[in-house]
Amino acid sequence: MSTDCPVTRAWRILGKPWRLVIIDRLREGPRSFNQLLHSMPGISSRTLSKALRELQSVGMITVINTEKGHLYALTDMGKDLDPIVNAVREWSNKWLSKTTNNEHG
């Protein structure tokens, strides 16, 4: 596949660990770092921090500053991933065993 391939370009971001899970959690609305961390058992704070920085740098999420700290939220670019996240969820429900480590959904 050429580096020009749209799937390759998307996979360079979305194919990294936890990226789609973060997008899925933020579909529920803006979340703090700790809310995200606690909603994803198994992710380290370092990995989450790195993933959030990368998703922000490509424009999929934004940071909202509040009096109590900052929250992470999806941008329109991130929200456009809804059909993909839904398709992954449906595929998982159809093909992966319910006894598989299914922590959300």
Side-chain angles (χ1 to χ4, degrees):
M1 254 187 195
S2 146
T3 56
D4 264 302
C5 172
V7 173
T8 301
R9 286 194 311 264
W11 196 249
R12 283 194 184 113
I13 299 163
L14 299 175
K16 292 180 180 177
W18 298 103
R19 294 334 186 249
L20 279 180
V21 179
I22 293 168
I23 298 295
D24 180 50
R25 296 311 188 269
L26 291 175
R27 291 182 334 147
E28 300 165 2
R31 299 284 183 258
S32 71
F33 183 89
N34 283 332
Q35 287 172 318
L36 288 169
L37 187 65
H38 289 94
S39 73
M40 296 184 285
I43 191 171
S44 71
S45 59
R46 181 176 183 215
T47 299
L48 177 57
S49 181
K50 180 180 177 183
L52 290 171
R53 278 193 309 270
E54 182 173 316
L55 292 171
Q56 185 181 7
S57 74
V58 297
M60 290 185 189
I61 66 171
T62 189
V63 177
I64 302 168
N65 294 310
T66 70
E67 292 177 10
K68 296 182 180 183
H70 53 270
L71 302 174
Y72 296 92
L74 293 176
T75 62
D76 288 341
M77 181 185 188
K79 290 174 185 174
D80 272 354
L81 291 169
D82 263 5
I84 293 167
V85 176
N86 288 334
V88 170
R89 182 183 307 278
E90 289 173 21
W91 178 87
S92 177
N93 285 336
K94 180 177 181 178
W95 294 103
L96 300 180
S97 168
K98 298 288 184 190
T99 61
T100 304
N101 189 9
N102 185 2
E103 296 168 345
H104 185 78

